[in-house]
C-alpha cells in the first residue's frame, strides 16, 4: 500500500505526480517483481466490503491493450477511484496531465487534474487504451439522499466494494457514519462475492465489448 500524506505539487496536481513516482519506481524493477496494476482511492472513500477481490474488475487477457479503468460521475470522468496499469502508456498520460497547465494554458479546467485527464483521454494517442466501466463495480457514491435508495442510480447498495463521497454538504458527517459501518463489519455490507451480481455483470460487460470489437473488424 502507498499513501500520499502531503502535497507534492499544488492542490490536486499532487495525485498524478505521486502516482507517476510510484509507477516509475515499479517500472525500474525486473518485470517479475513489478506490480501489475495500481488501484487509486481518494481519501474521501471507504472500503465497505473487503470480501470483494480487486482482481475481478481487471480486463481479461484479450484486452491487454487496456491500461486504465475508470468510471463517470454526474459531471463526467471521475478520478477519485480508478485502476491504472504499470506500463509505459500511463507514464505518458500522467506526465501529460502534470504538464497540462503549462503547455495547454489556454484550456480552462473546472476540476484541475481530473479535467486535464478527461481532455487528454479524448486525444487519439490515449483514446484506445482506456475504458469507462459501470460505476457500481468499484466507485459507488453516497450522495445526499436516503441510504441505499434503489431509485437513485448514484447511490451505494449493500455489498458494494466501497463508498465514495463527492463534495457536498455534510460530507464529514456522512463519512463518519460509513466509517462506523465499516468498522462494525456489518453482514449486510460484507456480502460474499457469489451473492452479488458482480460476476454476471462483469462477464456480460466484457462479452458485449468483445462482440462490438469483432463487429468493427468485420
Amino acid at each position: 500500500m502507498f499513501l500520499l500524506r502531503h502535497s507534492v505539487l499544488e492542490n490536486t496536481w499532487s495525485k498524478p505526480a505521486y502516482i507517476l513516482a510510484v509507477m516509475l519506481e515499479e517500472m525500474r524493477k525486473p518485470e517479475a517483481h513489478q506490480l501489475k496494476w495500481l488501484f487509486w482511492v481518494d481519501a474521501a472513500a471507504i472500503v465497505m466490503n473487503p470480501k470483494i477481490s480487486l482482481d475481478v474488475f481487471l480486463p481479461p487477457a484479450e484486452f491487454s491493450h487496456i491500461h486504465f479503468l475508470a468510471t463517470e460521475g454526474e459531471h463526467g470522468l471521475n478520478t477519485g477511484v480508478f485502476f491504472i496499469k504499470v506500463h509505459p502508456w500511463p507514464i505518458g498520460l500522467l506526465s501529460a496531465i502534470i504538464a497540462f497547465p503549462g503547455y495547454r494554458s489556454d484550456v480552462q479546467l473546472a476540476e484541475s487534474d481530473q479535467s486535464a485527464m478527461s481532455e487528454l483521454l479524448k486525444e487519439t494517442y490515449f483514446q484506445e487504451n482506456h475504458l469507462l466501466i459501470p460505476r457500481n463495480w468499484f466507485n459507488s457514491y453516497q450522495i445526499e439522499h436516503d441510504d441505499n435508495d434503489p431509485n437513485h442510480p448514484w447511490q451505494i447498495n449493500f455489498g458494494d466494494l466501497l463508498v465514495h463521497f463527492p463534495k457536498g454538504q455534510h460530507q464529514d458527517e456522512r463519512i463518519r457514519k460509513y466509517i462506523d459501518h465499516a468498522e462494525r463489519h456489518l453482514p449486510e455490507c460484507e456480502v460474499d462475492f457469489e451473492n452479488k451480481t458482480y460476476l454476471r455483470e462483469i462477464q456480460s460487460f466484457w462479452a458485449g465489448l468483445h462482440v462490438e470489437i469483432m463487429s468493427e473488424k468485420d
Side-chain angles (χ1 to χ4, degrees):
M1 179 183 292
F2 306 94
L3 295 176
L4 176 56
R5 298 184 182 276
H6 56 83
S7 295
V8 179
L9 299 176
E10 292 183 0
N11 301 320
T12 56
W13 298 101
S14 288
K15 181 194 297 186
Y18 182 67
I19 297 172
L20 177 59
V22 174
M23 186 78 65
L24 290 170
E25 179 65 19
E26 289 301 314
M27 289 292 292
R28 76 172 185 82
K29 299 176 183 177
E31 186 173 356
H33 298 284
Q34 293 176 5
L35 296 174
K36 303 304 180 186
W37 286 81
L38 302 176
F39 184 53
W40 175 268
V41 181
D42 272 359
I46 302 167
V47 174
M48 298 300 299
N49 190 359
K51 291 186 176 182
I52 306 298
S53 171
L54 296 179
D55 292 348
V56 302
F57 303 118
L58 297 178
E62 64 184 290
F63 295 95
S64 60
H65 65 289
I66 299 299
H67 308 314
F68 181 76
L69 296 174
T71 65
E72 289 187 301
E74 293 179 285
H75 305 292
L77 176 70
N78 180 269
T79 59
V81 182
F82 58 84
F83 284 92
I84 191 164
K85 188 188 289 184
V86 175
H87 186 275
W89 181 92
I91 291 176
L93 176 64
L94 294 165
S95 299
I97 292 170
I98 297 166
F100 199 96
Y103 81 92
R104 297 284 298 276
S105 58
D106 58 310
V107 179
Q108 296 297 314
L109 300 174
E111 297 290 340
S112 57
D113 67 301
Q114 179 169 276
S115 297
M117 181 181 286
S118 182
E119 290 295 319
L120 288 165
L121 290 176
K122 297 172 186 176
E123 296 183 359
T124 303
Y125 179 78
F126 296 114
Q127 202 170 41
E128 302 299 322
N129 301 97
H130 79 282
L131 277 178
L132 298 177
I133 62 177
R135 187 169 24 74
N136 68 296
W137 285 14
F138 58 75
N139 194 13
S140 299
Y141 279 10
Q142 202 290 318
I143 53 178
E144 296 178 71
H145 293 269
D146 292 337
D147 293 350
N148 295 283
D149 176 5
N151 297 315
H152 199 290
W154 302 96
Q155 198 73 349
I156 184 174
N157 292 304
F158 286 129
D160 285 356
L161 173 68
L162 57 73
V163 55
H164 183 199
F165 301 84
K167 295 178 182 177
Q169 293 182 334
H170 313 298
Q171 185 189 51
D172 290 345
E173 179 182 331
R174 289 182 286 132
I175 289 175
R176 283 194 295 270
K177 177 180 178 180
Y178 274 82
I179 288 176
D180 178 66
H181 289 345
E183 290 179 342
R184 291 164 59 194
H185 299 283
L186 300 176
E188 58 265 35
C189 294
E190 298 188 359
V191 179
D192 290 336
F193 177 74
E194 294 77 11
N195 295 329
K196 287 286 292 179
T197 59
Y198 277 135
L199 183 59
R200 183 171 66 253
E201 291 176 11
I202 291 169
Q203 290 176 338
S204 177
F205 177 85
W206 293 113
L209 194 59
H210 175 77
V211 171
E212 182 180 326
I213 292 172
M214 295 307 294
S215 298
E216 291 175 355
K217 289 182 178 180
D218 293 342

